[in-house]
Amino acid sequence: MEVPKKVFQSTIQLPHSPAFRNGQSCSPPHNNSTTVHIAMTLDYSTPYLRGSIAAVLSVLQHSTCPENTVFHFLANPHHHPNLRKTIASTFPYLQFHLYTFNPATVNHLISSSIRRALDQPLNYARIYLADLLPPSVTRIIYLDSDLIVVDDIAGLWKINLNSRVLGAPEYCHANFTHYFTAEFWANPFFSATFRNRKPCYFNTGVMVIDLIKWRKQGFTQKLEYWMRIQKRYRIYELGSLPPFLLVFAGNVEGVEHRWNQHGLGGDNLEGLCRDLHPGPVSLLHWSGKGKPWLRLDAKRACTLDNLWAPYDLFRHESLFSDT
C-alpha cells in the first residue's frame, strides 16, 4: 500500500544559517561576469526540501565568494508562498529566484518507473530550465536535492565546455546497455541513435549546461521526443535519466569525477550502504533509494550519511518512505 504524502500546512521554521560573506579576493556582488548560477528544484510537500536546504548550505559554506552565487529554484506554484518564506528566513542573505514549474507541463509525458520518487513531475523540471530561466542566464549548474558540496562550487562553474552543450562526470566503465530494455536494443530504429557515438553513462544530478546552445538547438523538444517514444514502446525503466542519455551520451564534456561522487544512496530498489569511489571528493551525491535523512532518522545510518548530517538544518518525523 502506498503511504500518502503529508503536506506542510504552515511555513517550516528553520534556524537561520550564518551570514556567508565574500573573501577579499572576490569581485563585488552583482558583477555578472563572476556570478555563479545554480538551479535546483524545491518540493514543499516531501522531505526532499530538507535535502535541498542542506545542499544550499553546503554550497555557501564552501564558497570563497558566496555572495556571488545566485540560486534559481523551480517549484510547484502552489508551494511558492511557503517556500519563499522558508528560504528567505533560513538564508536571509541569499540571492535567489523562484520559478513556476507546472506539473501539467510534463504529466502527460511521464511513464512509470521502478521507483515512485522517479515519477514525480519535479524530477523532470531540469528538462525545462532553458524555457523557465530568463535569457540573461546563459550558463547554469544543475544540482539535485540529495547531495552536498564540500569544495568551492566556482571550480565546477569555470569548466570549459568547449563546443559541448552539457558537461558532467562520465562513467565509461558502466554497462551502458543496462539503461535500456532488450526491446530497445533489438529495434534498429532505436538503437541506431547511438551510431557513430561512444556513449558513456553520466548522472543528471550534477550538470553544467550552456543554455544558449540548448535554446538554439531545441534540446527540450529532443528530450520530449524520447519521452513520447517511451510512452508507446517502453524502452527504459529509470525516469528522467534515459532521455538525457539518448540525447547527450557520447557528446558530453567530461568533468572530473570528484564533482559527482554519486550512488551513495545505493541501488534504486534496496538502497544499501555504499562507499566512495576512489579519488578526491568535491561533491557527495546520495543518488539511489537510500537518502541520508531517512536513514539518520531511522537510526540506521550508513557511515557516509554522517558527512551529510552537519548540513541538516532541521529534523522532523519522516513524511514518507521513498518506495
Side-chain angles (χ1 to χ4, degrees):
M1 182 178 67
E2 195 173 87
V3 180
K5 297 181 187 177
K6 297 178 184 176
V7 178
F8 295 115
Q9 299 299 320
S10 59
T11 305
I12 301 171
Q13 297 298 317
L14 304 178
H16 290 183
S17 76
F20 295 101
R21 299 301 191 187
N22 280 356
Q24 292 184 350
S25 63
C26 300
S27 300
H30 311 298
N31 183 336
N32 290 336
S33 65
T34 59
T35 300
V36 175
H37 293 277
I38 299 173
M40 298 180 66
T41 61
L42 297 179
D43 190 345
Y44 201 77
S45 64
T46 76
Y48 279 86
L49 179 61
R50 183 174 176 182
S52 301
I53 289 168
V56 172
L57 177 60
S58 73
V59 169
L60 298 175
Q61 186 166 317
H62 294 282
S63 293
T64 302
C65 305
E67 293 178 271
N68 294 0
T69 304
V70 178
F71 283 85
H72 302 266
F73 297 123
L74 280 53
N76 186 310
H78 298 300
H79 297 167
H80 277 208
N82 284 337
L83 283 171
R84 192 175 298 279
K85 292 176 184 177
T86 298
I87 297 300
S89 62
T90 305
F91 302 104
Y93 304 97
L94 188 69
Q95 293 189 70
F96 75 93
H97 304 281
L98 197 54
Y99 302 87
T100 292
F101 178 71
N102 191 331
T105 303
V106 75
N107 274 337
H108 65 290
L109 295 172
I110 296 176
S111 302
S112 61
S113 64
I114 62 174
R115 210 173 97 235
R116 186 184 65 178
L118 300 177
D119 300 339
Q120 302 307 308
L122 269 180
N123 200 42
Y124 293 82
R126 69 197 83 187
I127 293 173
Y128 299 94
L129 284 169
D131 303 320
L132 296 173
L133 273 56
S136 58
V137 181
T138 59
R139 172 185 276 226
I140 199 76
I141 296 174
Y142 175 81
L143 297 178
D144 266 352
S145 298
D146 52 359
L147 56 78
I148 56 171
V149 177
V150 292
D151 201 348
D152 191 340
I153 196 70
L156 180 58
W157 176 255
K158 293 175 182 177
I159 68 162
N160 188 347
L161 289 177
N162 295 305
S163 62
R164 313 286 193 182
V165 177
L166 186 151
E170 292 184 291
Y171 303 90
C172 295
H173 63 278
N175 188 337
F176 196 79
T177 62
H178 288 173
Y179 295 98
F180 303 95
T181 63
E183 289 75 17
F184 171 88
W185 294 110
N187 187 316
F189 176 79
F190 296 149
S191 58
T193 191
F194 293 117
R195 187 178 299 147
N196 301 322
R197 286 200 268 168
K198 294 182 179 178
C200 294
Y201 165 79
F202 68 95
N203 180 279
T204 56
V206 180
M207 299 182 289
V208 183
I209 301 172
D210 183 327
L211 293 176
I212 295 177
K213 288 188 175 73
W214 183 294
R215 291 165 179 140
K216 284 183 178 179
Q217 298 178 44
F219 280 103
T220 296
Q221 291 72 34
K222 292 176 182 180
L223 291 161
E224 288 182 333
Y225 166 80
W226 283 110
M227 293 171 69
R228 291 188 178 94
I229 294 291
Q230 163 72 353
K231 289 286 284 189
R232 183 171 180 180
Y233 295 102
R234 192 71 183 182
I235 58 174
Y236 55 78
E237 302 289 344
L238 276 175
S240 64
L241 167 64
F244 274 88
L245 297 180
L246 285 158
V247 172
F248 291 105
N251 196 26
V252 170
E253 185 64 30
V255 175
E256 286 186 273
H257 287 183
R258 67 189 303 152
W259 285 108
N260 195 352
Q261 283 270 357
H262 71 290
L264 305 185
D267 60 47
N268 279 299
L269 295 176
E270 296 186 30
L272 302 177
C273 295
R274 287 190 179 172
D275 294 327
L276 290 173
H277 307 289
V281 180
S282 294
L283 183 151
L284 296 95
H285 186 189
W286 279 261
S287 57
K289 181 182 177 181
K291 304 306 176 188
W293 53 85
L294 294 175
R295 295 193 294 218
L296 286 163
D297 286 357
K299 309 299 182 185
R300 294 196 299 269
C302 298
T303 301
L304 292 176
D305 295 343
N306 295 304
L307 298 177
W308 182 88
Y311 302 95
D312 185 16
L313 285 179
F314 77 104
R315 301 175 183 277
H316 63 84
E317 181 182 356
S318 297
L319 299 182
F320 75 101
S321 176
D322 187 8
T323 57

